[in-house]
Amino acid sequence: MGQLDSTKSRRTGAARRIYLDLREQIGAGVYAPGDRLPSSRALAEELGVSRTTVTSAFDQLVSEGYVTSHQGSASIVSDMAAPGTRHGRPAEDRLEWPMSDYAARLMQLPIHYPESRPALEFDFRYGDIAAADFPTLLWRRAMNAALLRRRDSLSYEHPAGSAVLRQQLQGYLWRVRGIRCDADQIVVVSGSQQALDLCTRALVDIGDRVIVEEPCYAMARNVLAAAGAEIVAVSCDNAGLLVQDLPHHGKSALAYVTPSHQFPLGGVLPQNRRDALLQWAYAVGAYIIEDDYDGEYRYDVKPIPPLFQSDQDRVIYVGTVSKTLSPALRLGYLVVPRPLIDLFTRCKQLADRHSPSLEQEALAILLEAGSYERHVRKMRRSNAERRAALIGALKSSFGERIEIVGTSAGLHVVVWFREIGAQHEARLIETATAAGIGIYPVSPLYLERKPDLAGMVLGYAALTPAALRGGTEWLASAIQALPRSLATQATAELRPGLGP
């Protein structure tokens, strides 16, 4: 039910005020054609006016054609009531309210909100993890323990995060990722997305040159673009960023990289390129944001220590629990160079004071008890089984018609369809969706050098091994039904040397 202003409704002319508010809500689409308005009795009680007053407002709406009503039945918004009008003026004719340059840039970005999905039998959306994998009992116990801890008062916490959690994260990062840092270098944030936003606020001015990988995590690129940065996309191969292609003239503010598992192609940046990247950063005066978004998941490769461990003056490390616990918790952390501690603490305080305290305490409890690391080991085993099931099914169902990359780590793979050109990507997705399968293109992750072949990022962490096998077989059957001319045409149109 739309909310009306009860204070205004008590003033003189209450009936007209109600009439105007309802008309505005109808024009804005709060009540669409065919929707029932609240009953006059319910609305009168809610607004504290007489039922006669509300009835008078309804009568005016009926007389103007906004509403149809018959005695003894509900008042229904008329089909004649065109959404998009306000006080009689069409929405497209309204004067634009002024907005900041930042807002103008933001409105131009290709941002999509999470929304209800079509009913899919198999959804390969990357970034999702299985709800059944969440340690519900452990988390509930930890939250209960946090709630029951005695507090003298309820107040704002330190913006950098719980001291206990930062101490536990320091030990965890040392044990698991080989990072040796002080607890006060850690800033707890509301997920890695906020970490990227704080880095941008602190280090990037309008017009500054920033480096991103090609392809790249779109939400990271969007944060930088909204800030007005000059974005330079540097290509990646199967080992990650092509460091030799970095611009060496002039100054760069920062480089955003995923060296432990390039997103989305999956390359692990070798040590010689890491060394060259650090040399470049010193030469051009840049900071490096190291996004270790799924560092806990390594399968066929021995983990290489994070870039941060090699240099704590130019590298800012970003970690998260979104891939181990849940993205809904909105918990992550930054490890920053010592000279940046106060700057990032101030940025965090201005952004949202601090991240949720109870969730921080609960995570600290799990880390202290060793429960978090046991859970991560269990998740690694489960996802290794899922990964094996998906790769096996892809090879069995498609054979040489595809190339699979990024299999050695993480929670997704990229599949290139050798016989289907990128221009047919939308057709491929529509065919899969019609068959009840959700697949997601890799092309939006590229900024400049778009691929020639159709490529899909397939996440496997939210599906069972049986579902991964079944979904892959369904996908193969759906693609088999595509016209053969599609593959023939796609192969003929590919430009030499621009495959995946």
Side-chain angles (χ1 to χ4, degrees):
M1 178 188 296
Q3 296 297 312
L4 301 182
D5 189 332
S6 60
T7 303
K8 292 179 181 176
S9 298
R10 291 192 184 97
R11 298 174 185 166
T12 304
R16 179 165 178 77
R17 184 70 258 164
I18 295 170
Y19 150 75
L20 290 173
D21 283 346
L22 284 171
R23 190 183 73 173
E24 183 172 1
Q25 291 182 13
I26 291 170
V30 176
Y31 294 109
D35 284 355
R36 296 167 55 129
L37 293 182
S39 70
S40 58
R41 187 187 304 278
L43 202 53
E45 291 178 358
E46 180 181 333
L47 300 177
V49 298
S50 71
R51 190 177 177 187
T52 302
T53 300
V54 176
T55 302
S56 176
F58 280 17
D59 288 344
Q60 185 65 30
L61 290 169
V62 170
S63 69
E64 294 184 10
Y66 286 97
V67 171
T68 60
S69 180
H70 303 285
Q71 190 165 358
S73 62
S75 297
I76 307 295
V77 177
S78 168
D79 291 338
M80 301 287 290
T85 61
R86 179 172 178 165
H87 301 308
R89 178 185 290 175
E92 59 269 22
D93 291 342
R94 292 181 218 158
L95 293 176
E96 291 290 336
W97 288 100
M99 65 173 69
S100 68
D101 289 344
Y102 173 87
R105 291 189 297 270
L106 185 62
M107 295 305 293
Q108 296 301 313
L109 295 174
I111 292 177
H112 305 285
Y113 305 121
E115 54 189 31
S116 58
R117 306 172 188 173
L120 297 170
E121 193 72 25
F122 306 103
D123 193 351
F124 289 92
R125 184 182 294 267
Y126 58 94
D128 288 2
I129 59 177
D133 286 346
F134 184 76
T136 304
L137 185 58
L138 283 174
W139 187 255
R140 185 174 67 186
R141 287 173 178 167
M143 285 291 286
N144 285 344
L147 280 166
L148 292 173
R149 285 183 173 173
R150 181 178 177 81
R151 293 173 176 79
D152 293 329
S153 63
L154 298 176
S155 58
Y156 294 115
E157 307 285 350
H158 193 281
S162 156
V164 176
L165 176 57
R166 287 188 285 157
Q167 196 71 45
Q168 291 300 324
L169 285 171
Q170 177 199 27
Y172 172 77
L173 289 170
W174 188 350
R175 292 189 303 273
V176 175
R177 300 298 285 132
I179 291 178
R180 299 193 178 193
C181 66
D182 295 328
D184 63 353
Q185 289 179 260
I186 298 173
V187 179
V188 180
V189 292
S190 299
S192 60
Q193 191 63 37
Q194 186 181 54
L196 300 175
D197 183 65
L198 296 182
C199 289
T200 304
R201 294 189 197 202
L203 304 173
V204 178
D205 283 325
I206 293 175
D208 279 355
R209 183 173 67 194
V210 298
I211 309 302
V212 299
E213 297 166 327
E214 177 82 306
C216 172
Y217 174 50
M219 289 289 281
R221 196 169 60 213
N222 286 342
V223 167
L224 297 167
E230 175 198 347
I231 297 178
V232 176
V234 176
S235 295
C236 296
D237 62 10
N238 58 6
L241 185 72
L242 293 170
V243 180
Q244 67 270 25
D245 292 344
L246 288 166
H248 288 271
H249 61 282
K251 186 180 184 301
S252 295
L254 59 82
Y256 169 79
V257 296
T258 51
S260 295
H261 185 223
Q262 198 281 325
F263 184 84
L265 300 181
V268 179
L269 199 67
Q271 191 60 51
N272 63 325
R273 292 196 197 181
R274 292 169 183 245
D275 293 341
L277 177 60
L278 289 171
Q279 291 171 10
W280 170 85
Y282 278 96
V284 301
Y287 283 100
I288 298 170
I289 301 176
E290 178 181 18
D291 189 351
D292 198 17
Y293 64 99
D294 60 3
E296 288 80 4
Y297 299 107
R298 298 288 178 270
Y299 307 115
D300 294 337
V301 293
K302 182 179 179 181
I304 296 178
L307 199 61
F308 184 87
Q309 186 53 32
S310 300
D311 191 291
Q312 296 198 11
D313 293 325
R314 283 290 166 183
V315 180
I316 300 167
Y317 180 86
V318 178
T320 179
V321 302
S322 291
K323 302 296 185 291
T324 53
L325 288 173
S326 169
L329 291 179
R330 308 312 306 137
L331 278 177
Y333 48 89
L334 285 159
V335 188
V336 303
R338 295 203 64 83
L340 299 182
I341 291 173
D342 187 49
L343 170 62
F344 274 82
T345 303
R346 289 168 180 248
C347 286
K348 172 63 177 174
Q349 186 177 47
L350 286 182
D352 62 357
R353 289 274 189 172
H354 57 79
S355 295
S357 300
L358 287 176
E359 284 81 356
Q360 289 189 63
E361 290 189 38
L363 180 57
I365 290 169
L366 293 184
L367 284 164
E368 185 176 12
S371 304
Y372 179 75
E373 287 174 63
R374 287 192 293 273
H375 169 71
V376 170
R377 288 193 292 270
K378 178 182 176 183
M379 290 285 289
R380 190 182 299 121
R381 290 192 298 270
S382 297
N383 284 310
E385 292 176 12
R386 292 178 171 120
R387 164 184 165 272
L390 176 60
I391 293 171
L394 286 168
K395 290 180 177 179
S396 174
S397 298
F398 291 96
E400 295 300 315
R401 290 179 294 155
I402 62 170
E403 180 184 358
I404 312 169
V405 300
T407 61
S408 60
L411 300 174
H412 71 269
V413 298
V414 172
V415 176
W416 297 103
F417 292 85
R418 289 187 167 123
E419 298 177 344
I420 303 177
Q423 71 272 30
H424 302 300
E425 205 170 60
R427 176 79 177 274
L428 182 58
I429 293 169
E430 290 171 4
T431 300
T433 302
I437 307 157
I439 57 175
Y440 303 91
V442 71
S443 58
L445 305 180
Y446 285 82
L447 181 63
E448 297 168 354
R449 186 182 179 275
K450 299 287 186 178
D452 284 320
L453 296 179
M456 298 293 152
V457 188
L458 302 184
Y460 52 80
L463 296 171
T464 64
L468 289 163
R469 286 187 286 267
T472 303
E473 291 170 3
W474 279 34
L475 179 60
S477 297
I479 293 176
Q480 191 68 31
L482 286 171
R484 290 190 61 81
S485 59
L486 198 70
T488 305
Q489 180 187 2
T491 305
E493 291 177 357
L494 290 181
R495 289 171 286 167
L498 289 180

